[in-house]
């Protein structure tokens, strides 16, 4: 198991290119199950979660070939409708095969999901929505079994705007008979990207990106050829890294329209933000100002950027407050930041942060994907040497992060664990 060693204190400078979005690529890969034929996805990040999804699709009968950031898939013969626990437990997004399998085959058996330990994240809204579409749902020894001769359009109200639930139901409804309305749908840009690909496949979808999505079901879909959108969370991570090290970085390919809340907070902390045709540039301030941040569903401040901003705010001059409204267990990185000298107190869903003049490197341990990025960023700003262990979490969501940071002048290397 590898670790990352960082010798901090260097401002980051230069240009880095953002990868394709993991959170867009995963549902797009699952959407290939909806249509027989040869599909092609471009700008797919080379990540552990992508490899896991391709392994799962292979078990279901999808043949795939990866060439760099392009993946070609053939979904002619779906030979199996079961997603086993051994794979699903390692990656929560595996549950996104449920809707497409049910819509195409009329049956699916999918293990209840795992993933990062940042909160319960139940899939009950996925299941209630599929039941509204006419599926018969049964829980059997840790598996979800779903059956339907053909799904039927329905009006579905989501109690909370779940991203995965919206994606699962959107994919299932494309082949349902009649008209489906998903109300209180999640509005994330990754859902818009999925809807664009499904529309190219022949689906009839209106309202993706709003809280009400309308789908007119069709009897058959055709293969897609689609380019995955840029990863807004990876882009935000590099922008924070530039701001907190007092550097100046251009993140090529970053899309400002997807990052309004993040860019607003960067400006409030004193960073200079320049949105350009080819990306976003950030110049860090001499002194970071404290912030008040509340996470929430898009377009509010993203929970996936909370940990990175906490790393920034431990260096701010004054007191900051972060309120985590999405997941109930997403402050696990706090204890590790405290090992570097951060002053943070947790009060329920709030983190109260008192900025410190400096951080000092120390061995730390990652607990989840975004916590990994948080600790790497803190190490970039800390004096001496920081070692981040259990970085397999990092490899689930960031493509060659240490290489990209090295391009920007960071003294960072990946090493085998002791």
């Amino acid at each position: 198991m590898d670790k990352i060693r960082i010798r901090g204190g260097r401002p980051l400078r230069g240009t880095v290119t953002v990868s394709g979005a993991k959170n867009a690529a995963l549902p797009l890969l699952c959407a290939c199950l909806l249509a027989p034929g040869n599909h092609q996805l471009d700008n797919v990040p080379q990540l552990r979660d992508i490899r896991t999804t391709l392994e799962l699709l292979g078990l279901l009968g999808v043949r795939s070939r990866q060439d760099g950031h392009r993946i070609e898939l053939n979904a002619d013969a779906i030979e199996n409708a079961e997603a086993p626990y051994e794979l699903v437990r390692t990656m929560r997004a595996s549950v996104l095969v449920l809707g497409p399998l049910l819509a195409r085959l009329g049956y699916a058996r999918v293990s209840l999901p795992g993933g990062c330990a940042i909160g319960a994240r139940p899939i009950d809204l996925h299941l209630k929505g599929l039941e509204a579409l006419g599926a018969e749902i049964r829980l059997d020894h840790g598996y979800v079994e779903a059956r339907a001769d053909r799904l039927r359009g329905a009006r579905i109200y989501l109690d909370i705007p779940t991203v995965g639930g919206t994606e699962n139901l959107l994919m299932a409804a494309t082949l349902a008979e009649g008209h489906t309305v998903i109300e209180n749908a999640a509005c994330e840009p990754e859902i818009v990207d999925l809807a664009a690909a499904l529309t190219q496949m022949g689906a009839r979808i209106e309202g993706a990106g709003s809280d009400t999505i309308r789908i007119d079901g069709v009897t058959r879909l055709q293969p897609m050829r689609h380019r995955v959108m840029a990863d807004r969370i990876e882009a935000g991570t590099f922008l924070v890294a530039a701001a907190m090290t007092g550097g100046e970085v251009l993140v090529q390919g970053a899309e400002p329209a997807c990052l309004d809340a993040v860019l607003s907070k960067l400006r409030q902390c004193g960073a200079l933000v320049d949105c350009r045709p080819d990306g976003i540039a950030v110049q860090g301030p001499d002194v970071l100002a404290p912030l008040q941040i509340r996470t929430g569903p898009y377009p509010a401040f993203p929970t996936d950027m909370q940990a990175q901003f906490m790393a920034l705010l431990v260096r701010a001059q004054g007191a900051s407050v972060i309120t985590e409204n999405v997941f109930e267990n997403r402050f696990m990185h706090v204890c590790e930041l405290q090992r570097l000298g951060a002053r943070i107190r947790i009060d329920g869903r709030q983190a109260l942060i008192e900025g410190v003049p400096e951080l000092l490197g120390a061995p730390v341990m990652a607990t989840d994907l975004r916590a990994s990025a948080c600790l790497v960023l803190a190490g970039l700003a800390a004096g001496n040497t920081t070692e981040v262990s259990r970085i397999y979490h990092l490899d689930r969501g960031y493509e060659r992060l240490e290489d990209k940071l090295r391009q920007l002048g960071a003294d960072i290397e990946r090493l085998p664990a002791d």
Side-chain angles (χ1 to χ4, degrees):
M1 193 179 299
D2 292 348
K3 63 182 178 181
I4 285 180
R5 176 183 294 164
I6 308 149
R7 296 175 179 88
R10 296 187 178 191
L12 300 186
R13 302 191 186 279
T15 299
V16 65
T17 300
V18 68
S19 299
K22 179 199 82 159
N23 289 339
L26 296 178
L28 287 165
L29 288 169
C30 296
C32 294
L33 292 166
L34 289 165
N38 295 312
H39 303 258
Q40 179 177 304
L41 289 175
D42 292 306
N43 199 37
V44 181
Q46 296 179 331
L47 300 171
R48 181 177 172 184
D49 277 7
I50 297 296
R51 295 193 295 272
T52 300
T53 302
L54 291 177
E55 184 178 352
L56 173 57
L57 292 176
L59 288 177
L60 300 176
V62 177
R63 301 192 305 276
S64 65
R65 185 174 72 88
Q66 187 165 6
D67 182 10
H69 295 97
R70 171 175 293 175
I71 297 179
E72 297 173 351
L73 306 104
N74 180 279
D76 278 335
I78 306 303
E79 303 161 350
N80 177 27
E82 179 172 318
Y85 171 75
E86 290 73 20
L87 283 178
V88 178
R89 71 180 176 86
T90 66
M91 188 187 67
R92 179 174 183 79
S94 303
V95 77
L96 293 176
V97 302
L98 179 59
L101 284 174
L102 181 60
R104 180 169 169 184
L105 301 181
Y107 174 74
R109 188 171 190 265
V110 178
S111 171
L112 293 171
C116 286
I118 57 174
R121 302 196 288 178
I123 64 165
D124 58 312
L125 297 182
H126 302 231
L127 305 184
K128 289 177 182 177
L130 291 173
E131 284 182 322
L133 292 172
E136 178 184 331
I137 305 290
R138 187 168 75 95
L139 299 180
D140 178 47
H141 295 89
Y143 279 78
V144 175
E145 289 189 359
R147 296 179 183 274
D149 291 336
R150 186 182 177 190
L151 297 174
R152 301 184 305 275
R155 183 174 293 273
I156 302 168
Y157 179 82
L158 299 174
D159 292 335
I160 58 173
T162 160
V163 176
T166 300
E167 291 168 340
N168 233 338
L169 297 173
L170 173 60
M171 289 188 283
T174 60
L175 290 176
E177 182 179 2
H179 186 67
T180 297
V181 179
I182 304 174
E183 297 179 318
N184 199 31
C187 304
E188 271 70 4
E190 293 80 10
I191 291 172
V192 177
D193 202 38
L194 173 62
L198 292 171
T199 300
Q200 183 194 121
M201 294 170 69
R204 299 172 182 170
I205 301 168
E206 294 180 355
S210 75
D211 62 2
T212 302
I213 304 177
R214 294 177 171 83
I215 309 105
D216 285 313
V218 297
T219 57
R220 183 179 176 84
L221 295 171
Q222 62 194 21
M224 74 168 87
R225 181 171 183 173
H226 184 77
R227 180 178 176 83
V228 179
M229 65 175 284
D231 194 318
R232 60 193 174 101
I233 304 303
E234 182 192 0
T237 301
F238 286 121
L239 296 173
V240 169
M244 67 185 293
T245 62
E248 187 172 1
V249 172
L250 170 64
V251 183
Q252 284 187 326
E255 300 174 4
C258 298
L259 287 162
D260 281 345
V262 169
L263 299 182
S264 174
K265 291 302 178 183
L266 284 171
R267 292 186 176 103
Q268 288 178 37
C269 82
L272 298 177
V273 178
D274 182 15
C275 297
R276 306 176 184 178
D278 60 341
I280 305 172
V282 162
Q283 181 178 339
D286 293 332
V287 177
L288 291 163
L291 297 175
Q292 304 277 325
I293 291 176
R294 299 178 63 87
T295 68
Y298 187 86
F301 189 91
T303 182
D304 279 352
M305 285 299 303
Q306 175 256 107
Q308 297 91 312
F309 265 80
M310 188 178 292
L312 178 147
L313 292 175
V314 300
R315 295 295 316 281
Q317 193 173 86
S320 300
V321 179
I322 296 178
T323 304
E324 174 56 60
N325 292 313
V326 179
F327 295 123
E328 69 276 12
N329 194 27
R330 206 163 199 183
F331 287 144
M332 291 187 290
H333 45 278
V334 168
C335 291
E336 301 303 304
L337 286 174
Q338 289 170 337
R339 289 176 53 80
L340 302 176
R343 296 176 184 170
I344 307 170
R345 182 168 62 88
I346 301 301
D347 182 10
R349 286 184 173 266
Q350 287 192 328
L352 312 175
I353 305 155
E354 186 67 39
V356 296
E358 64 176 354
L359 298 173
L360 293 177
V364 292
M365 182 179 296
T367 54
D368 60 72
L369 169 55
R370 305 306 171 187
S372 305
C374 160
L375 296 175
V376 170
L377 296 186
L380 293 173
N384 301 327
T385 300
T386 298
E387 290 189 352
V388 184
S389 60
R390 294 182 68 183
I391 60 164
Y392 62 87
H393 292 293
L394 193 72
D395 295 335
R396 290 185 50 229
Y398 289 92
E399 182 178 5
R400 301 184 302 106
L401 180 64
E402 70 276 12
D403 293 340
K404 291 184 176 183
L405 289 172
R406 196 178 302 116
Q407 293 172 19
L408 299 174
D411 186 346
I412 182 172
E413 58 184 334
R414 178 182 290 247
L415 300 169
D418 298 331

